[in-house]
Amino acid sequence: MKKRDISEISVQFVKGIGPKNSQYLEKLNVFTVEDLFYRFPFRSEDRKTPLSVKKILSMALIPELCFMTGTIQKIISSKSPRRRAQILTVVVEDHEKSGQFNLLFFKQRIKYALKFLEVGKKIAVWGNINLTPSGIFFSNFDFEILKNGTLSFFRIVPVYKTSKNINLSIYRRWIFNALESYSRNAVEFIPNSVLREFAFMRRDEAFKKVHFPETFEEQAKAYKRLKFEDFFIYECAVAYNHFSFKKTKKPRKYTLKKNILTPWRKNLPFEFTEGQKKAILEIFNDLLSPYPMHRLLQGDVGSGKTVVALSAALLIKENGFQTAFLAPTLNLAWQHYETMKKLLKGLPVNIGILVGGMKAKEKKEMIKKIKEGQVDIVIGTHAIFEESVKFKNLALIIIDEQQRFGLYQKAILTQKAISPDILVMTATPIPRALAMTLFGDLEKTEIRELPSGRKPVETIQLSSDEAYERVRKEIEKGHQAYIVYPVIENEDEKNVTTAYKLFSQEIFPDFRIGLLHGKLSPAEKKKVLDDFSKRRIQILVSTTVVEVGIDVPNATIMIIEGAENFGLSTLHQLRGRIGRGSAKSTCIVTVETADARALKRISYFLKCNDGFELAEKDLILRGAGQYFGTEQHGRMDVKFSYNLTLEAMFQDEISDLKLLRLARNVAFKILKNDPSLKFAPEIKKRIFKRFASGFHLAKIS
C-alpha cells in the first residue's frame, strides 16, 4: 500500500496535537504535517554543554546566554524592599558541585514555578546571567526539571514563533513527534542523480536536521537542500511555462492596419527614442505571431514605457479587440487614465477606468460597457479582478509594476480571456542574473535612455535645515516640492502627520502644505494629488505612496528623510517623481545613521542615476534574498522569503542567487527532455499545487 505524503496528512494526527490544538495551529497556517515541517526555527541555540560556576568565574568574557544545570538546594520567598513585591529565589548547586547559582522569579512566574520546583530535583537553565558580589543570578531564563527525553537542553535547540495558546516547549515536542512518525512519508521528488551530483541530503533527512541538528553545519546543509527544492519547483513551473508557450497558438490573428496608429504617432508632441522604437518593434512582432506574447518590458523611471504599451493597445483596438491595463495603485491608474486621454484625444478609441471607490452607479455602468465591448482600453486596479467584470473580447493584458501583484491575482485576470497576449512592465530594474532566473518564461525588452529634454536629477546629501532652505528657494521660484518620510514599524501615519504639523505651523507656515499617506481613503488621496497637480499644494509631505503614479513636471525638488531606511530601488523610484519637466531638479537625502552598509548604499545613490546599475549594486549589497519577498516580486511564491535564519546560515550574500541558478539549470534540463513531465509525476503534482494557477498560461494536464 502506498504511503500517504506529508502534504496529505492532517496535523491533528501528530501525537500530542489532536483536534483542539490543530485549531490553534490553523491560525498559524499549519494544516498538514508538511506545513508543520516547513515552519523552520527562526533561530537555534547551542545548549549542548552546561557551564559550571567555576568555569564562568574563570572566563574573561562571559557569553550573553548561558546553559547551566544542577540540583535545587533552597527555595526562598521574600519581599522586594522597594516595591514590596514578592520574589522567589531558587538556589541551585551546579552539576560539578563547584558552586551555586540563583534563579529569580517574579510576579506570575512564581505561581508557575512552584508547580514544578522542589528541593532535590535536578534542573536545567538557559538565559541571561548577572554576576554580583552575592553570586550568579539568572533573571531572564528558560528552565526545565530534568527527566529523560528533554528536547530543550543538551542539544542544539530550535526556537519557533508560536502563539499565546501554544507553549514553545510543547510545540517543540509536536515537531519532534511529527518527525519521528511522518518524516519517512516525505516523498522525494528531486532526481537521485541530482542529489548525488550536488551532495544534497534526502528530503526526510533534511527535515530532521533543519529542526534538530547535531551541528550548525549540518543544519546549514539541510537548509540548503530545502531551499533548493523550493527554488527547483519554482523554476520547473517557469520552464513548463517557457516550453508551453512554444506550442500554444492563440485563437486570433492581428494585422498592422495603421488606421489609428499612424495618425496617433504623427500627433504626438514628441519623437520616440531609439529604445522605444526597438521595444515597439519587438512587441508588435510578438502580437503578429501565432503564439501568445509573454514579454517583460523593463524601463528606467521616466523612460516612456506607457507610450510603448499604448502602442500595443492601439494595434489590438485596430483589430477589434480589448485591452486590460492593470495598475497596482489608485494613483497610478488615474495617472495612466489622464495621460492616455490626452494622448488619444481626437481618435476613435474608447478608454475607461475601473477602480475602487467609484460610485456604485458609475461602476455598474462601466462594467456593462466593458461586457458589451464599448470600452477598448480598460484601465483599472484590483477592481478588475472582481467576478462581475467580464470582457467581450479581451486579447491583451498589460500589467504595470508587475512585482506588486501576486501570482493568483494575475491568474484571475488571465482567465478572463483565451490565451491572451501579456505584457508585464516594471520601472524597478531587475539585475540581469535575477531576471534570467525569476522570469525565464518571459521574453525581455529594456528601454534604457530617457526622452529628449529630460535633465539628470542632481542628488545630494544635506542636513535637514539646509534641505529646507533649498525647498524654500524652489517654492519662491514658483516650483513645488516633495518631502518623503520612511515607513517605520507601521507608524507611517503618525510620523508623517507629526512632520506635516511641524512644516505647516513652524517651518513653512507661509506655504500651502499637503499630506499624503497610506491610511487616507481613495477619495482623499485623489483630492490631495489633484490639488498638488493643479498647484493648489506647494509642498507635499508624504510616505512612499508617491513612489509610483505621480507625474507633476512643476515639482523640482524632493527631500527623502531618513534615506538609510530605503533600498536603492525605492530611492531611485522616489527620485523619479522629479526631473519630469524642463527645469533643473534636485533630490536631497538626509541620513540619521552611522551604519557602514547603509552609508555605502547612500553613496551609490548619490553618484548614480542609472536604475539598472543601481539594481546590480542593490543585489551585491543586500543579497538576492531581498528580491524573493512579496514586496519585490509578487510572483516569487517561495517559502524561504519569510525564514529569518537564512541570512545567518549563509555568509555569502548572493548564495541564494547561486542556488537559484542551479535550480534553474536542473529544471530546464529536465523539462527540455520531458516538457509534459510524463516521467516526473511528483514534480508535476507539486507545480500544479503551487503554481499552475499563478502562471499566465500553464495548464498542467
Side-chain angles (χ1 to χ4, degrees):
M1 187 172 123
K2 185 180 177 181
K3 61 185 179 184
R4 293 175 67 198
D5 183 63
I6 52 175
S7 64
E8 300 169 351
I9 302 172
S10 170
V11 75
Q12 69 172 309
F13 296 120
V14 173
K15 182 180 177 182
I17 295 181
K20 183 177 180 180
N21 289 322
S22 68
Q23 292 177 9
Y24 298 137
L25 288 171
E26 285 176 7
K27 293 178 181 178
L28 299 175
N29 292 318
V30 174
F31 300 92
T32 66
V33 170
E34 184 176 73
D35 295 334
L36 193 66
F37 286 175
Y38 273 123
R39 286 201 86 242
F40 306 135
F42 72 88
R43 74 169 184 269
S44 293
E45 298 170 341
D46 188 350
R47 304 185 188 180
K48 279 187 169 183
T49 307
L51 296 174
S52 66
V53 171
K54 181 180 178 181
K55 178 70 173 176
I56 289 174
L57 294 178
S58 68
M59 287 179 167
L61 184 64
I62 298 170
E64 185 179 344
L65 292 163
C66 291
F67 170 34
M68 300 185 74
T69 64
T71 305
I72 298 175
Q73 303 294 312
K74 297 178 186 177
I75 300 176
I76 306 166
S77 180
S78 60
K79 295 280 188 180
S80 168
R82 291 185 180 179
R83 301 183 181 179
R84 307 299 296 168
Q86 187 179 7
I87 300 174
L88 190 71
T89 304
V90 178
V91 182
V92 183
E93 183 178 50
D94 73 25
H95 67 288
E96 290 185 358
K97 297 185 178 180
S98 70
Q100 295 182 335
F101 60 91
N102 305 278
L103 312 179
L104 298 181
F105 293 88
F106 304 94
K107 298 180 181 179
Q108 62 267 30
R109 287 200 83 194
I110 294 175
K111 187 176 179 180
Y112 174 79
L114 289 174
K115 291 180 182 179
F116 305 98
L117 302 181
E118 292 179 18
V119 172
K121 283 195 172 183
K122 296 189 182 300
I123 190 171
V125 186
W126 167 268
N128 302 105
I129 64 169
N130 295 309
L131 287 181
T132 74
S134 303
I136 297 173
F137 287 83
F138 281 87
S139 57
N140 183 20
F141 57 92
D142 293 334
F143 76 93
E144 185 175 304
I145 298 300
L146 286 177
K147 51 189 176 184
N148 292 334
T150 178
L151 295 177
S152 300
F153 297 95
F154 301 106
R155 62 168 64 240
I156 292 175
V157 177
V159 182
Y160 303 92
K161 288 187 175 181
T162 60
S163 66
K164 64 179 181 180
N165 296 308
I166 302 175
N167 175 274
L168 176 57
S169 296
I170 292 173
Y171 182 85
R172 196 177 285 136
R173 175 62 65 179
W174 292 346
I175 294 277
F176 185 83
N177 290 345
L179 289 165
E180 286 286 290
S181 299
Y182 297 113
S183 60
R184 66 181 70 90
N185 290 56
V187 174
E188 181 61 78
F189 52 84
I190 294 178
N192 287 328
S193 59
V194 176
L195 296 178
R196 286 194 300 269
E197 182 178 356
F198 301 105
F200 286 133
M201 291 181 184
R202 290 194 61 80
R203 195 165 180 242
D204 56 347
E205 183 185 8
F207 279 129
K208 288 180 179 179
K209 300 304 184 185
V210 83
H211 290 282
F212 294 102
E214 291 295 321
T215 65
F216 285 111
E217 291 75 18
E218 189 177 70
Q219 188 181 45
K221 289 180 180 178
Y223 272 123
K224 188 173 183 178
R225 187 259 127 91
L226 293 170
K227 185 191 286 190
F228 173 82
E229 79 171 41
D230 217 27
F231 292 161
F232 174 69
I233 289 298
Y234 175 84
E235 290 297 343
C236 281
V238 170
Y240 182 90
N241 242 22
H242 173 78
F243 290 112
S244 71
F245 287 130
K246 303 296 183 184
K247 61 184 180 182
T248 304
K249 289 190 175 182
K250 54 192 175 189
R252 56 191 167 272
K253 293 182 179 180
Y254 312 126
T255 56
L256 195 56
K257 300 178 181 179
K258 299 185 179 181
N259 297 328
I260 297 175
L261 278 165
T262 300
W264 173 69
R265 182 170 178 175
K266 287 181 178 178
N267 289 334
L268 287 176
F270 52 81
E271 289 290 327
F272 287 140
T273 65
E274 290 305 311
Q276 287 174 316
K277 291 176 184 176
K278 179 175 178 291
I280 291 170
L281 179 62
E282 290 177 351
I283 291 168
F284 278 17
N285 285 339
D286 284 351
L287 292 174
L288 297 174
S289 86
Y291 299 98
M293 174 173 68
H294 204 211
R295 184 168 290 275
L296 169 67
L297 175 61
Q298 287 192 87
D300 211 340
V301 177
S303 61
K305 296 180 301 301
T306 303
V307 176
V308 171
L310 186 53
S311 300
L314 292 180
L315 187 152
I316 296 298
K317 154 64 181 173
E318 286 193 317
N319 284 273
F321 295 98
Q322 292 172 293
T323 295
F325 196 115
L326 183 62
T329 67
L330 184 70
N331 302 339
L332 188 53
W334 278 108
Q335 183 72 56
H336 283 315
Y337 178 67
E338 296 296 339
T339 299
M340 290 186 192
K341 273 207 312 184
K342 291 177 185 175
L343 294 174
L344 296 171
K345 190 174 181 181
L347 294 171
V349 181
N350 295 319
I351 183 170
I353 186 165
L354 186 65
V355 295
M358 293 177 70
K359 292 179 181 178
K361 185 178 179 182
E362 291 178 342
K363 185 175 181 180
K364 186 177 179 181
E365 187 177 338
M366 181 54 62
I367 290 174
K368 182 173 181 289
K369 287 181 177 180
I370 293 169
K371 185 177 181 180
E372 293 175 353
Q374 297 179 40
V375 182
D376 303 309
I377 302 173
V378 182
I379 298 171
T381 55
H382 297 72
I384 293 181
F385 297 137
E386 294 176 14
E387 192 175 343
S388 60
V389 180
K390 301 184 187 304
F391 291 79
K392 182 179 181 181
N393 52 9
L394 178 62
L396 172 63
I397 295 171
I398 301 171
I399 303 174
D400 198 10
E401 293 300 330
Q402 58 81 34
Q403 72 277 11
R404 293 171 180 248
F405 294 96
L407 286 169
Y408 301 108
Q409 292 172 322
K410 295 173 186 174
I412 291 169
L413 185 53
T414 58
Q415 288 165 8
K416 294 179 183 287
I418 300 173
S419 298
D421 289 289
I422 296 166
L423 177 66
V424 296
M425 307 195 301
T426 179
T428 305
I430 304 165
R432 288 181 182 274
L434 276 181
M436 179 186 74
T437 49
L438 292 178
F439 301 98
D441 56 326
L442 297 171
E443 301 298 327
K444 284 168 273 297
T445 294
E446 291 181 359
I447 306 176
R448 286 190 170 251
E449 72 266 51
L450 297 179
S452 61
R454 290 280 180 90
K455 296 178 180 178
V457 175
E458 177 191 28
T459 307
I460 57 177
Q461 180 180 342
L462 296 175
S463 68
S464 292
D465 288 342
E466 291 172 317
Y468 300 154
E469 187 57 34
R470 287 284 194 108
V471 166
R472 178 172 292 279
K473 289 179 180 177
E474 284 298 304
I475 302 300
E476 289 171 349
K477 292 178 185 176
H479 295 146
Q480 293 164 274
Y482 297 95
I483 303 178
V484 182
Y485 277 78
V487 176
I488 302 175
E489 296 177 353
N490 293 322
E491 292 185 357
D492 54 313
E493 181 184 16
K494 178 181 175 182
N495 290 339
V496 81
T497 302
T498 301
Y500 168 72
K501 290 178 181 176
L502 179 68
F503 290 128
S504 301
Q505 297 170 11
E506 298 182 29
I507 300 175
F508 300 119
D510 46 337
F511 295 145
R512 300 184 300 277
I513 316 289
L515 174 64
L516 185 67
H517 55 72
K519 293 187 178 179
L520 294 178
S521 70
E524 289 171 324
K525 287 180 189 174
K526 187 173 184 302
K527 184 178 187 311
V528 171
L529 291 172
D530 283 346
D531 286 346
F532 189 57
S533 179
K534 294 172 182 175
R535 306 191 187 187
R536 291 193 285 263
I537 289 174
Q538 295 169 295
I539 301 174
L540 183 59
V541 181
S542 174
T543 59
T544 54
V545 294
V546 297
E547 186 180 347
V548 295
I550 298 178
D551 186 1
V552 181
N554 191 52
T556 58
I557 189 165
M558 171 181 282
I559 301 175
I560 305 176
E561 300 273 15
E564 71 276 9
N565 292 288
F566 302 104
L568 281 171
S569 293
T570 298
L571 288 170
H572 187 61
Q573 284 276 352
L574 289 170
R575 177 169 58 188
R577 296 311 100 205
I578 56 176
R580 304 180 84 85
S582 57
K584 177 186 174 184
S585 295
T586 305
C587 177
I588 302 170
V589 297
T590 69
V591 179
E592 302 172 357
T593 184
D595 178 73
R597 287 170 63 89
L599 293 176
K600 191 173 184 180
R601 189 165 68 246
I602 297 300
S603 72
Y604 283 132
F605 179 63
L606 292 173
K607 61 189 179 187
C608 180
N609 268 292
D610 185 324
F612 289 90
E613 184 180 338
L614 287 174
E616 301 291 343
K617 295 291 186 186
D618 219 9
L619 177 62
I620 294 169
L621 287 174
R622 296 196 296 158
Q626 295 293 325
Y627 286 86
F628 300 155
T630 52
E631 288 187 8
Q632 289 288 345
H633 294 287
R635 87 190 301 243
M636 186 71 177
D637 178 20
V638 291
K639 293 175 173 62
F640 286 89
S641 304
Y642 314 103
N643 189 348
L644 304 180
T645 60
L646 290 175
E647 291 301 322
M649 299 308 299
F650 295 97
Q651 297 304 313
D652 179 358
E653 288 181 310
I654 59 173
S655 62
D656 283 353
L657 178 56
K658 291 177 180 177
L659 203 60
L660 185 60
R661 282 175 178 162
L662 174 60
R664 173 189 167 80
N665 292 339
V666 173
F668 270 73
K669 184 177 179 180
I670 290 172
L671 269 292
K672 184 178 181 180
N673 296 323
D674 182 16
S676 63
L677 292 172
K678 179 181 178 181
F679 302 105
E682 279 298 326
I683 295 176
K684 178 188 287 190
K685 172 184 169 184
R686 289 174 190 284
I687 295 176
F688 183 79
K689 181 180 177 183
R690 291 273 301 281
F691 294 118
S693 62
F695 278 77
H696 299 301
L697 288 178
K699 299 293 181 185
I700 300 175
S701 56

